[in-house]
Amino acid sequence: MTFCDDAMMGYDAARRSFGPGATLDFDEAYRLAHLPLVAPGHPDALAGKDGTDYRNGRYATPRHSLVVPVDAGELGRSKAFRRFEAELRSFSFSDKIAWQIGRERASKLHATIVGGLAETDLARCADAAAAALARLGALSLRIGGPFLGRINTGRIYLPVYPCCRDGEDVFALVQRACGARQTRFYVVGCYHFAAALSVAETADLSGLAERWRRRILAELPVTSLAVMATNDDLALSGRVVAAIPAGGG
């Protein structure tokens, strides 16, 4: 089985780097959607914003996405992932990571394939994805080293590298079947900061990300895709609306 690499994916173009003297400070997107849940009462948290339906990190109307679930137990059994997390925990800035949120989200880990689905389009997208998966057979993905993006500064993501079929990204094939934009971008939000970082802490995080960015943390089978509904961007309220078997099942 062959896998997509960085030349095929969009991660390098979207990656954020921190120069000398820089600090990791929360951007508006993180302050609005994540910080109220990660650190309730934090002075930088935005309770809401005109033109949005966010209220303390939640919204009344659920949002739906087609996602690939990531099994936290299987990920945690990977030696490479355990080595990475041990190094992450070795830095002083790890005290600013909301580890409890990570434990609460363990059963909800996922990477989005098609976001922003209208309720009226859920069945059509699920059927199209199922038909695409039936043609693709057994699938796997690789979880890469940490990704720090230019949006949602405050989250450490893990990028997903799907397997290929005839040189094509299999998740892009699913997107095409669903009539969705092909993104070449599937990330798992894994760690969340509850406080901004100092210059020294930011340099440590940046160095960690650079050392691990080209490494593979785990290789996992793709057993299903799912249509997920959630009333918050951390998917703490996430629930599966439809499960779509993969792997020829």
Side-chain angles (χ1 to χ4, degrees):
M1 189 172 290
T2 59
F3 292 86
C4 297
D5 57 20
D6 281 311
M8 299 177 66
M9 306 304 293
Y11 302 129
D12 283 350
R15 197 180 301 271
R16 178 173 178 179
S17 59
F18 293 89
T23 57
L24 184 148
D25 299 302
F26 303 139
D27 67 350
E28 185 174 295
Y30 188 82
R31 293 169 62 202
L32 179 67
H34 301 101
L35 194 57
L37 303 174
V38 171
H42 192 290
D44 289 339
L46 298 177
K49 181 185 176 185
D50 290 345
T52 74
D53 58 351
Y54 286 96
R55 292 297 177 269
N56 295 313
R58 297 178 173 85
Y59 29 84
T61 303
R63 298 179 185 177
H64 298 85
S65 301
L66 178 68
V67 307
V68 54
V70 173
D71 188 312
E74 287 195 43
L75 179 61
R77 285 188 282 276
S78 164
K79 291 181 180 178
F81 174 79
R82 292 200 301 271
R83 287 196 297 270
F84 163 70
E85 191 164 275
E87 185 172 344
L88 177 66
R89 288 179 178 272
S90 73
F91 290 98
S92 61
F93 65 72
S94 71
D95 291 342
K96 295 182 176 181
I97 294 175
W99 295 101
Q100 178 58 34
I101 287 289
R103 289 188 286 272
E104 291 176 24
R105 297 185 69 250
S107 64
K108 312 290 179 68
L109 288 184
H110 67 275
T112 298
I113 297 176
V114 182
L117 288 171
E119 282 197 71
T120 55
D121 208 27
L122 299 184
R124 185 201 63 79
C125 183
D127 288 346
L133 291 175
R135 295 190 295 269
L136 291 171
L139 304 177
S140 294
L141 58 80
R142 285 176 171 172
I143 303 290
F147 172 85
L148 305 174
R150 296 175 184 169
I151 301 174
N152 288 331
T153 306
R155 280 189 120 183
I156 301 175
Y157 293 93
L158 300 180
V160 170
Y161 296 85
C163 61
C164 300
R165 286 289 183 274
D166 299 322
E168 292 206 62
D169 161 8
V170 293
F171 292 158
L173 296 177
V174 172
Q175 290 171 331
R176 184 184 305 165
C178 293
R181 182 173 65 91
Q182 295 178 46
T183 61
R184 311 291 184 185
F185 191 90
Y186 324 103
V187 291
V188 183
C190 220
Y191 306 99
H192 302 80
F193 284 106
L197 303 189
S198 68
V199 171
E201 290 168 337
T202 301
D204 285 341
L205 175 62
S206 182
L208 173 73
E210 186 60 31
R211 283 192 298 279
W212 284 88
R213 64 183 290 186
R214 303 297 184 193
R215 303 193 202 182
I216 300 302
L217 301 187
E219 186 174 312
L220 307 175
V222 177
T223 58
S224 69
L225 301 184
V227 176
M228 176 181 281
T230 183
N231 290 79
D232 69 274
D233 284 4
L234 291 184
L236 296 170
S237 59
R239 58 270 186 201
V240 173
V241 175
I244 307 163

